[in-house]
Amino acid sequence: MADEAETGWSRRDFVGAASLLALAVGVPGAAAFLSGLDANEAPSDRQVSLMREVAQLVIPRSETPGAGDAGAGAFVILALAHGLDGTRKPAASAEMPFAFPNYQRPDGSLRFVDWLENTLDRAAGGDWLGKPGEERQSILAALDAEAFAEGADAHPWRKIKGLILTGYYTSEPGGALELRYEPDAGRFEPKLPQSPETRAMSNDWTAVEFG
């Protein structure tokens, strides 16, 4: 329970995340579930594309699919609409120095996707999605550095990035390809050789970190 308090996540959150991801990637393009959201929460087509690109930049495609390929962008939109990781609590946004009033709901919670879209576009001097790949990556890297600087604990990007990682590592590519999945963990070995290529096990809760 102590670990849950520190991370803001519980096993119930994790199961909920996996269920939301199954919805997001179980329908072609996730369009059906995203359009099924309340009208006030449904994203625009541009926001769906933007979140996919943002997720793909956070975890790019390598020998395994990237986070955008795995549906993590759609998962983030669904997760935010459902308030995963406390994102619909007024206190979660009231403490954010970067949460401007135009991105807040009447209850004080933050419209994270609207905030991110506007923040990236302002940094790009226009259409972030229309910029070359390297420029998009540079702008997002600058936002990431700002969010994880000392004293920026309540920065909205931290929540979004955490949900991208959750979405990816609870997806089939993230959980079964990027991480190791072994139904039978075998015998206990107190010392095993590790290398940069050693992958954490997706079925070991202690090996999964979010944020």
Side-chain angles (χ1 to χ4, degrees), residues 28-113:
F33 277 98
L34 292 179
S35 62
L37 293 173
D38 180 273
N40 293 324
E41 300 299 329
S44 67
D45 291 343
R46 183 177 190 270
Q47 288 176 332
V48 173
S49 297
L50 182 139
M51 288 306 306
R52 185 190 189 284
E53 177 63 14
V54 166
Q56 192 76 355
L57 288 175
V58 171
I59 304 178
R61 185 184 301 116
S62 56
E63 69 274 11
T64 55
D69 300 326
F75 163 81
V76 171
I77 294 172
L78 287 171
L80 291 170
H82 287 274
L84 204 66
D85 198 16
T87 52
R88 288 298 297 266
K89 294 179 180 178
S93 61
E95 297 172 358
M96 294 178 181
F98 307 89
F100 308 110
N102 355 350
Y103 311 119
Q104 289 182 300
R105 300 180 180 88
D107 65 6
S109 61
L110 181 67
R111 295 185 182 278
F112 284 84
V113 178

Side-chain angles (χ1 to χ4, degrees), residues 56-211:
Q56 192 76 355
L57 288 175
V58 171
I59 304 178
R61 185 184 301 116
S62 56
E63 69 274 11
T64 55
D69 300 326
F75 163 81
V76 171
I77 294 172
L78 287 171
L80 291 170
H82 287 274
L84 204 66
D85 198 16
T87 52
R88 288 298 297 266
K89 294 179 180 178
S93 61
E95 297 172 358
M96 294 178 181
F98 307 89
F100 308 110
N102 355 350
Y103 311 119
Q104 289 182 300
R105 300 180 180 88
D107 65 6
S109 61
L110 181 67
R111 295 185 182 278
F112 284 84
V113 178
D114 292 349
W115 170 84
L116 181 62
E117 180 182 34
N118 188 269
T119 297
L120 292 176
D121 283 344
R122 283 191 298 108
D127 179 12
W128 179 80
L129 272 175
K131 299 298 182 182
E134 289 186 3
E135 187 172 348
R136 292 199 303 271
Q137 185 175 32
S138 176
I139 291 170
L140 189 64
L143 179 65
D144 190 80
E146 175 187 279
F148 288 91
E150 185 176 356
D153 295 355
H155 197 292
W157 170 246
R158 291 196 180 201
K159 291 285 189 182
I160 296 171
K161 186 176 184 180
L163 289 173
I164 290 171
L165 298 180
T166 301
Y168 182 66
Y169 287 109
T170 53
S171 72
E172 182 177 357
L177 299 178
E178 183 69 20
L179 299 176
R180 292 164 51 212
Y181 178 73
E182 297 182 18
D184 182 1
R187 67 184 184 184
F188 173 72
E189 296 283 357
K191 293 184 178 180
L192 289 173
Q194 301 288 318
S195 73
E197 289 73 37
T198 301
R199 298 184 178 189
M201 292 180 61
S202 61
N203 50 336
D204 177 4
W205 175 259
T206 61
V208 181
E209 297 180 359
F210 303 102

